[in-house]
Amino acid sequence: MKHTPAGAADSSKPALVVAAHGRRGILAQPDGRRLPFMIRGRHLRAYCGDRVSFQVTTVGEPVLITRIEPRENELQRLSGRGGLPETIAANVTHLVVVMAALPAPDLYLTDRYLCAARLMGATSTIAWNKSDMAALPAAELSGYDSLGCPVWSVSAVTGAGIAALRGWIGTGTAILVGQSGVGKSSLLNALVPGIDATTGEISLSSDEGRHTTTASVLHPLPGGGCLLDTPGVRDFVPAIPERTAISQGFAEIDEYGRQCRFTDCSHLRESHCAVQEAVTDGLIDRRRYESYRRLMNLVRQADGRAG
Ligand SMILES: Nc1nc2c(ncn2[C@@H]2O[C@H](COP(=O)(O)OP(=O)(O)O)[C@@H](O)[C@H]2O)c(=O)[nH]1
Ligand SMILES: [Mg+2]
Ligand SMILES: [Zn+2]
């Protein structure tokens, strides 16, 4: 009979992957205990946010992941190589788009994040950071609230709005995204009490054990949620979606698009296009429509290169 020492791994319940790199990482058990894990073979791949079953082989050695629970979604970004989408986390429920007065806001990029969030089934919000330096441009961002994307005024420096943002994340799993310099690392420190984003990085030895790499980490939040930090991909840009899916990533275009004459309407040039009419009538914000058009063109260019 196998002897299980007190305090050892309980493999009867699924655990959460809270740090992952390659085929190694750390699991958190439901009672909060942490266990190093590894994956054998090439058919399994675990990401931060995955819920997994595991097996204890040798006490004191990393446990073996045997099964990955079906994922609700995958967070994907463009990889450097050939622009292929690469999964960086699983079961991400909330995307926090961080913006600030400096660097100057790029609403096109914001819309691209919101599109990616909607397509992966995550909710999104905008955190206007550095509010101690420049107040939230309420008029410019007012349209986002009505798209189901609340806008928070926060400051990583003074702590203003931090509890409210944490409350919005609730028990979900969130990631901070946005341009370099907007304050994502600073907000991570403000949201997760007691961590230091630099020393909070976890280094795992690679499969070969020759060098260490920085893992993606899920930090627990006081309210029961988690905040994902992906040091290697801090300035994450979402993967370009399928061209036919982009309109579904824009809530208002998705809504008006149902009234277009053609079910496969691209809402760019067709006649009897309810989306273009709504833009003309001022029912859809012109700048949001321009974001949609730019993303559609970007995908056409990408498809052109691939073909
Ligand atoms: N005044 C002010 N400065 C901030 C705030 N948050 C971040 N910063 C500064 O903005 C710069 C970039 O912050 P950082 O967290 O590294 O941004 P990241 O690149 O998005 O991770 C740093 O100099 C921070 O000190 C804030 O709320 N108020
Ligand atoms: Mg940073
Ligand atoms: Zn249309």
Side-chain angles (χ1 to χ4, degrees):
M1 215 178 87
K2 237 196 255 171
H3 172 66
T4 311
D10 172 9
S11 61
S12 65
K13 298 187 196 84
L16 177 70
V17 175
V18 293
H21 192 281
R23 283 179 290 171
R24 287 174 181 270
I26 296 169
L27 299 179
Q29 296 189 259
D31 63 6
R33 279 181 297 174
R34 293 178 168 234
L35 290 172
F37 76 80
M38 62 174 293
I39 294 175
R40 263 193 213 137
R42 305 218 163 254
H43 59 294
L44 281 185
R45 187 75 213 266
Y47 303 103
C48 256
D50 264 326
R51 283 175 286 269
V52 300
S53 305
F54 63 91
Q55 203 175 58
V56 181
T57 49
T58 313
V59 174
E61 286 293 302
V63 300
L64 269 188
I65 288 184
T66 51
R67 184 185 128 86
I68 294 165
E69 303 276 315
R71 293 178 181 130
E72 274 150 49
N73 62 31
E74 288 181 19
L75 180 73
Q76 295 188 320
R77 66 145 189 161
L78 289 183
S79 78
R81 285 186 205 164
L84 290 174
E86 175 195 2
T87 299
I88 52 178
N91 304 317
V92 173
T93 55
H94 294 65
L95 223 74
V96 180
V97 183
V98 183
M99 295 170 70
L102 264 180
D106 178 352
L107 291 177
Y108 170 65
L109 182 64
T110 298
D111 288 338
R112 194 165 159 190
Y113 285 127
L114 299 196
C115 176
R118 213 174 131 83
L119 289 177
M120 68 183 277
T123 50
S124 46
T125 195
I126 293 172
W128 178 264
N129 190 34
K130 311 192 190 182
S131 60
D132 55 295
M133 303 282 283
L136 170 84
E140 208 180 326
L141 300 181
S142 64
Y144 286 105
D145 258 317
S146 49
L147 293 170
C149 172
V151 182
W152 306 96
S153 173
V154 301
S155 168
V157 166
T158 67
I162 297 299
L165 180 57
R166 232 190 256 131
W168 178 80
I169 296 168
T171 55
T173 298
I175 181 173
L176 303 171
V177 300
Q179 288 166 271
S180 181
V182 291
K184 297 180 295 298
S185 301
S186 309
L187 279 176
L188 184 80
N189 283 298
L191 285 161
V192 186
I195 75 147
D196 165 357
T198 334
T199 57
E201 287 177 1
I202 295 178
S203 287
L204 298 163
S205 58
S206 68
D207 294 340
E208 295 77 27
R210 270 186 265 115
H211 50 84
T212 59
T213 41
T214 308
S216 296
V217 179
L218 271 190
H219 298 287
L221 292 173
C226 291
L227 201 56
L228 176 72
D229 187 26
T230 55
V233 288
R234 279 221 169 99
D235 301 308
F236 150 84
V237 174
I240 301 175
E242 293 278 316
R243 199 162 193 263
T244 50
I246 294 175
S247 63
Q248 292 161 37
F250 287 74
E252 69 279 55
I253 292 175
D254 191 26
E255 187 192 323
Y256 282 99
R258 289 176 200 155
Q259 297 157 36
C260 295
R261 171 186 280 183
F262 306 109
T263 49
D264 63 346
C265 188
S266 74
H267 319 306
L268 296 175
R269 260 164 229 101
E270 293 90 339
S271 56
H272 301 282
C273 170
V275 170
Q276 290 170 80
E277 281 163 20
V279 173
T280 306
D281 295 345
L283 298 167
I284 289 180
D285 179 61
R286 208 166 270 284
R287 202 203 46 72
R288 283 273 299 171
Y289 178 68
E290 177 58 20
S291 276
Y292 167 76
R293 234 178 41 81
R294 285 173 67 169
L295 192 50
M296 288 290 276
N297 288 333
L298 196 68
V299 177
R300 191 170 53 206
Q301 284 163 20
D303 288 351
R305 270 198 303 276

